[in-house]
Structures are given as structure tokens and as C-alpha cells.
Amino acid sequence: MNWFRKNFRSCEEENAESGARASTSRGRGKGSNSLDHEIVQLTKLRSGPNEHLSKMVHGKHNVPISTVKMLAAREGNYSGRGRFSSADSCHVLSRYLPVNGPYMVDQMDSRAYVSQFSVDGSLLVAAYQGSHIRIYDVENGWKVRKDILAKSLRWTITDTCLSPDQRYLVYSSLSPIVHIVNVGSAVTQSLANVTEIHDGLDFSGEGGNDDNLFEIFSVKFSTDGRELVAASSVDSLYVYDLATNRLALKILAHEDDVNTVCFADESGHLIYSGSDDSFCKIWDRRCLNWKDKPAGTLIGHLEGITFIDSRGDGRYLISNGKDQTTKLWDIRKMSSNPSCVPRRNYNWDYRQMDYPAKLKDKKHPNDQSLATYKGHSVLQTLIRCYFSPAYSTGQKYIYTGSNDASVYIYDLVSGALVAKLGHHESTVRDCSWHPHYPMMISSSWDGSIIRCEFPGGDATPSPLPRRRSQRRHFF
């Protein structure tokens, strides 16, 4: 218990300091007050302690209760249950932000583009520009379980995704072909079509597109592992049926590159897409017609969208935008017939230029988002954002990579910046919060995969990667 008290106090102190540093950077697009929406109550139900517990301990409701007192109340069986509820557990675990480190997982001589934990957290997938995809055994000292050399790579690996059963991995590049490889085999060194077959899935269908202009930016498995959804540079999204090995659906979805796409929930009926045309769109496969009309459109970003993450409930999502914001959305606020045209600044290129200062405080006049989070920078590449894990945090945070070599963690409800992990030397394109533990992985253009956690598993942090020259090549 003494160890727990010592470490918990240090965690609370660190979080308080982070909150103080962020007091001028709350970034609320609609004022600095807390979010006033149904999602506040849903988040509280998932991540807040039992409302009667504070009365049992303090004699009154709604009084903050420390984790130490919660543990004592559990041991004394104040609640009569003899254990924590899932919300109580989330309340405790979510106080332990993954802020200690950094600890080096791996480093290569090419940029790291992707870093994602498997659904159960036992594996980590990292993809590098230099054709390598490595799968690490998280529970076995981060040993490389699979070292994949990608086939027919164009410029870089743009995305990877493990199947829900963790038997297969798909990877994409700036090409219409998505490759799939069996990662459950005993072979460690997976050289495409030499030591293992990397089957090619052709998303171009019957053709009609110039393969040199057809690029896949995002690819995701459905929850049941039977389908893939992909986003492309030819303004379209695709669904590929793995059982029949054919393209099942193509939608001309946007008026510019589709940078990101994902299934909204386990049903697979709803699909979210985000594009350089600045719109998020919702597609309901149960009522698509020949005109490929979306179920609705979400308006609010001033520039293109780099990534979308679903809360998993078919209702809420977040998006990263080149207008240097992350936005929270409720699809019930979507427009079925939007009359607004994209409000983009065509004189600005996020790949080579800083965001114009005169636009930083500009707001879309028809913004339908619930909240806006600012502080991080979305430049040079398709930087990703996510909800924090449901199991350990109740999804009470959102987090994102940033062009300033950091990972930002925001409180979903208050908008406060609760932590900034600035351990890299170049752009952080991707990051991943372990589904069960207070552990964060980030991948950077400095070539490193770094781990931060609480309280910290190594005796001393790993040395920071050496500074690399900032070339103006990008994706």
C-alpha cells in the first residue's frame, strides 16, 4: 500500500501539473465550458465512481474521492458488493496516464508510419517506410514475432490492419493493390512470395483508373473479419469481400481524396469516411441506391480530414483535420442534404507550409461538431487520432499524434490538455493506447517506436533517437 500511495501521489501531481500547463489551451471551439451533451453522461457512467460511494466515505454526494479511499472502501465493503464496478475500475485506472518514459521499442533507418496494438493488446504492429512491417510480442519482451518485407511498395506503407482473430494482416501503399499475409504461420522472416505468399487484393475492380493515380490511404477489417473497407485517392471508398475474393462495393464518395474510412460498429452496416473535401460522411449499406448518396454529412472542418476514429457505438466519432483541430461528432446531427460548399483554403498546402496564422481562430459558420480540440499540429502527413480505451478509461480521453513530435491527450468532456508526450525528434504520425494497461506506443518519422507507461517498466528511460534531417518528402 505504501508503494501504491507513493506512486499514485506522483501520478496525481503529474496530472495536476499537466492540467495547469494546459489551462490556456483548452481549445473548445464553443467556449471553455464543459461539453453539454448526452455523451457527458455516457462518459460519466463509464468512467465515474459509484455516486453513493462519496456519501459513504464523506457523508455527502458528489464529493471527489481519492483512489486510496476508494480502495479502503472496497476493502471495507462500503458498497455491499465487495468489489469495484467497471466504472469504479475505469475511474482508478484512468488516473494513471501513460506519461513515464520514453522506453525504446525499436528504431530503424526509415520513417515509422503505423503503430497499433492488436485488439487484445498482446501484439503490436509497426510499419516503416522502408518496406518493413514488424509484429512484436508485447508479453514476451517486445520480441519480434514477425518481420514482414512488403511487396510492390510504392513510396511507403500507408496503413496496416490485423484481422480480429490475429491470423492475417493487410497492408496498403500508394497502389490499388492491398496485400494480405498469414501472420499466424511459424515463419518469422516473411519475404513476400519467397518465404510466404502475400496475396494481392485488387481494389481497382474492372479498371478504368490509372494505376499510377490510384492510391490506398486507409484499410480496415470489419469486426467479424469477413470484409475490408478502404479509402482511395480516386475519391472513392471500397468494401472487399474476403470470402468471395471480390470487390463487393464501390462508392464515389467525395469530391477529393478519401483519406480515411472505418466501420462505425460491429454490425458493419454503417461506414464513416473523411476526405480532403473537408466533409465526414456516413454511409448506410442497407439503403444505398445507384446514386451513392450518403445517409448524411457532417460539416465543420475548414480543411481536409486526415483520420476518423469511431467510438464503436454507431453514433459518435472523432476526426483530425488539416485545420489543426480534432472534432467530436454525433451522427444524429448530420445533414441529409447539405447546401454548404467545402470551405477550403486552396492557397495553402499542409505538406509544405505552416497553417496560416489568420485562419487559426476561424470557425465554420455551419459547424455541426459537438466539440473542438486544439493544440496539436496536423501537418505534412495524415496524422491519426483516437478515443482512449473503454476498458481502462471509459473512453474519457482522446489522443492524437502531432507534427511537433509529440502525442497530445485531451479530456473528452472539458477539452483540457491533460498530457503531452514530447519524446520524439520528428512528426508523430500514429500512436496507440494499450487496451488494458496505462501504456502508450507512438511511431515517428525519426524512425523510432517509443513506449510510455505508468509507472514505468524499465530502470531508466531509453536514450532519445538521434535527430534526423527534416526532408520535405511526405505522405
Side-chain angles (χ1 to χ4, degrees):
M1 181 63 76
N2 288 335
W3 176 90
F4 178 85
R5 288 174 185 269
K6 177 182 176 183
N7 283 281
F8 182 72
R9 278 200 298 271
S10 65
C11 178
E12 286 190 316
E13 289 166 0
E14 288 175 359
N15 292 350
E17 291 172 1
S18 296
R21 290 193 299 270
S23 62
T24 60
S25 304
R26 291 183 180 270
R28 269 286 178 246
K30 301 174 182 176
S32 59
N33 296 326
S34 294
L35 179 62
D36 181 18
H37 190 270
E38 175 187 310
I39 196 172
V40 176
Q41 294 303 319
L42 293 175
T43 303
K44 182 179 179 181
L45 288 172
R46 280 190 172 189
S47 61
N50 187 288
E51 63 179 5
H52 300 297
L53 196 57
S54 61
K55 182 174 183 179
M56 295 175 188
V57 175
H58 297 292
K60 55 181 74 174
H61 285 292
N62 301 320
V63 176
I65 180 171
S66 74
T67 302
V68 173
K69 289 183 178 180
M70 286 183 66
L71 288 169
R74 184 185 67 177
E75 295 303 311
N77 197 20
Y78 282 23
S79 67
R81 299 190 307 269
R83 58 182 176 81
F84 279 158
S85 67
S86 59
D88 291 336
S89 298
C90 279
H91 180 71
V92 173
L93 288 171
S94 65
R95 306 290 289 275
Y96 291 83
L97 296 178
V99 295
N100 293 349
Y103 306 101
M104 188 71 72
V105 174
D106 204 353
Q107 184 173 18
M108 299 192 73
D109 290 331
S110 65
R111 295 172 173 180
Y113 271 73
V114 178
S115 54
Q116 284 296 299
F117 283 110
S118 59
V119 174
D120 65 0
S122 64
L123 301 175
L124 172 73
V125 178
Y128 301 84
Q129 186 176 8
S131 300
H132 276 278
I133 305 169
R134 286 183 172 173
I135 301 179
Y136 304 88
D137 191 331
V138 176
E139 299 171 354
N140 189 24
W142 304 91
K143 180 180 179 181
V144 176
R145 178 180 290 190
K146 200 84 169 178
D147 191 353
I148 300 169
L149 190 62
K151 179 184 178 183
S152 305
L153 187 71
R154 287 189 184 174
W155 177 241
T156 186
I157 294 164
T158 56
D159 204 3
T160 66
C161 190
L162 271 177
S163 62
D165 61 7
Q166 300 179 185
R167 293 180 58 194
Y168 298 96
L169 179 134
V170 291
Y171 61 88
S172 61
S173 69
L174 302 183
S175 159
I177 306 298
V178 170
H179 290 92
I180 184 168
V181 56
N182 181 3
V183 298
S185 68
V187 176
T188 300
Q189 298 294 325
S190 180
L191 180 59
N193 295 350
V194 176
T195 61
E196 286 189 312
I197 299 298
H198 292 199
D199 286 328
L201 311 177
D202 188 356
F203 278 72
S204 64
E206 298 179 356
N209 293 303
D210 184 346
D211 284 357
N212 292 320
L213 301 177
F214 195 124
E215 302 163 345
I216 298 291
F217 297 133
S218 176
V219 60
K220 296 289 181 289
F221 271 100
S222 59
T223 304
D224 60 12
R226 296 179 180 180
E227 294 180 318
L228 296 172
V229 63
S232 79
S233 61
V234 290
D235 310 347
S236 301
L237 67 85
Y238 304 84
V239 176
Y240 197 97
D241 188 319
L242 293 171
T244 61
N245 194 30
R246 66 179 182 88
L247 199 62
L249 178 66
K250 174 187 174 181
I251 301 174
L252 184 58
H254 291 268
E255 296 181 5
D256 210 330
D257 291 354
V258 184
N259 295 323
T260 177
V261 67
C262 67
F263 289 102
D265 55 22
E266 294 182 353
S267 72
H269 297 313
L270 293 180
I271 296 172
Y272 300 149
S273 64
S275 166
D276 272 341
D277 65 11
S278 81
F279 294 145
C280 294
K281 292 187 177 182
I282 296 88
W283 306 89
D284 190 337
R285 298 169 64 187
R286 294 165 296 186
C287 55
L288 282 174
N289 57 34
W290 65 273
K291 292 184 179 180
D292 289 342
K293 294 294 184 182
T297 302
L298 295 169
I299 302 167
H301 277 295
L302 296 170
E303 303 289 343
I305 295 162
T306 65
F307 197 75
I308 284 175
D309 186 43
S310 172
R311 193 168 177 265
D313 54 12
R315 180 173 295 175
Y316 299 103
L317 63 146
I318 56 174
S319 59
N320 246 4
K322 297 175 185 179
D323 55 6
Q324 313 305 297
T325 68
T326 299
K327 287 184 176 288
L328 172 67
W329 309 89
D330 181 343
I331 69 170
R332 293 172 297 180
K333 295 174 70 69
M334 64 188 179
S335 298
S336 57
N337 292 297
S339 57
C340 296
V341 297
R343 302 181 63 85
R344 296 169 56 198
N345 176 19
Y346 290 95
N347 296 320
W348 173 72
D349 186 343
Y350 92 120
R351 297 170 297 179
Q352 305 179 67
M353 304 164 64
D354 290 332
Y355 194 60
K358 65 181 180 180
L359 299 179
K360 288 186 177 179
D361 295 324
K362 188 176 181 180
K363 299 177 183 178
H364 198 296
N366 304 102
D367 191 353
Q368 297 169 321
S369 65
L370 301 180
T372 300
Y373 309 84
K374 295 182 179 180
H376 59 292
S377 58
V378 185
L379 298 169
Q380 291 191 290
T381 187
L382 303 179
I383 290 173
R384 301 175 167 199
C385 61
Y386 303 94
F387 288 96
S388 63
Y391 173 82
S392 59
T393 72
Q395 296 180 304
K396 68 181 293 184
Y397 305 114
I398 64 172
Y399 62 102
T400 175
S402 179
N403 181 246
D404 66 359
S406 303
V407 174
Y408 286 68
I409 304 175
Y410 299 100
D411 185 285
L412 176 72
V413 174
S414 72
L417 175 65
V418 297
K420 178 182 176 181
L421 312 181
H423 303 307
H424 285 281
E425 295 291 323
S426 187
T427 301
V428 176
R429 183 179 187 267
D430 202 6
C431 44
S432 186
W433 196 316
H434 193 281
H436 303 127
Y437 306 136
M439 178 190 299
M440 179 82 74
I441 294 291
S442 54
S443 51
S444 168
W445 277 10
D446 60 21
S448 64
I449 306 294
I450 281 178
R451 180 180 96 250
C452 290
E453 57 187 28
F454 186 92
D458 295 348
T460 57
S462 305
L464 292 176
R466 66 183 185 277
R467 184 176 295 278
R468 297 174 183 271
S469 61
Q470 295 299 297
R471 297 172 295 173
R472 280 298 186 182
H473 296 149
F474 40 76
F475 163 73

